[in-house]
Amino acid sequence: FLTQFPEPGAVHAFVLYTSGRAEQLAGDNAAAVIRLKEFEDTYPTARETPLAALQRADLLYRLGRTDEAEALSEELSQSEASETLRTQARLRTLQHFVDAAQFDSAASLLLSTDWQVKKMPELAVLAFAALRTGDALMLSENFGDALRCYRLVPPHAQLLARQRSEVERARQIFQI
């Protein structure tokens, strides 16, 4: 389809973005990265462009291209994208650092960011990353930064209350 209708336009944009997502769902992450990048380059002002960039960063992490993924996530977190997408970019980078046991990098991101996370599941991701990073810093006897990480973790009761609130909101939406 893209070769038959190469001219930019609404249908072309939809097909280009959707084909990137289809490549991802088919398991061809490398092709999906290329297609999403093509979408971003062709439609830099489209509403879906920041989302495509976030998805591309996720795919780059999966492909082991962490330097590219981190740079893209940083660019997205500093962009004019919505606060939600900027926060998602930071959280995904943070999660990558924690999963890769790069706790110094995780601590640097945790402690240099003004986290304005108030909703689940983002709050849970931040809390668990801060806990794991704090634990690792305690083991390496970096007590000051460990305590600063722990301070980012809301009290257990507050986390449970927020989770209950989200469940109740979902019940209302879906009338369960």
Side-chain angles (χ1 to χ4, degrees):
F1 181 86
L2 291 171
T3 55
Q4 288 180 306
F5 302 99
E7 296 299 317
V11 172
H12 182 264
F14 173 77
V15 171
L16 191 58
Y17 177 79
T18 304
S19 65
R21 297 288 291 143
E23 297 280 6
Q24 179 183 359
L25 292 172
D28 192 348
N29 292 341
V33 165
I34 292 167
R35 191 67 73 197
L36 290 170
K37 175 72 169 130
E38 184 180 352
F39 173 82
E40 293 169 56
D41 291 344
T42 306
Y43 302 99
T45 60
R47 288 186 334 205
E48 297 85 359
T49 299
L51 181 58
L54 183 65
Q55 291 164 338
R56 189 163 58 92
D58 283 343
L59 293 169
L60 290 168
Y61 278 126
R62 289 183 197 163
L63 291 168
R65 294 164 54 184
T66 56
D67 290 342
E68 291 174 75
E70 288 172 21
L72 181 57
S73 293
E74 177 62 23
E75 181 182 322
L76 183 57
S77 72
Q78 301 298 322
S79 74
E80 297 296 320
S82 71
E83 181 61 34
T84 300
L85 285 177
R86 292 193 316 260
T87 298
Q88 282 295 321
R90 289 182 195 105
L91 285 172
R92 290 175 186 196
T93 299
L94 176 62
Q95 190 64 52
H96 166 73
F97 288 150
V98 170
D99 290 345
Q102 296 175 349
F103 294 110
D104 289 335
S105 296
S108 178
L109 180 57
L110 273 168
L111 301 176
S112 67
T113 302
D114 180 21
W115 297 99
Q116 298 297 319
V117 177
K118 304 277 188 244
K119 294 184 177 182
M120 296 296 227
E122 291 87 355
L123 187 58
V125 170
L126 177 62
F128 284 113
L131 276 172
R132 287 190 60 199
T133 302
D135 289 349
L137 294 174
M138 288 293 279
L139 289 174
S140 66
E141 298 184 4
N142 185 345
F143 303 119
D145 283 349
L147 289 173
R148 290 176 59 211
C149 286
Y150 289 143
R151 287 185 188 127
L152 293 171
V153 181
H156 184 257
Q158 185 180 5
L159 283 171
L160 287 177
R162 293 233 172 114
Q163 185 62 31
R164 285 187 193 110
S165 173
E166 288 295 315
V167 168
E168 184 56 36
R169 189 170 73 82
R171 281 189 181 138
Q172 290 174 356
I173 290 171
F174 297 107
Q175 300 173 345
I176 299 174

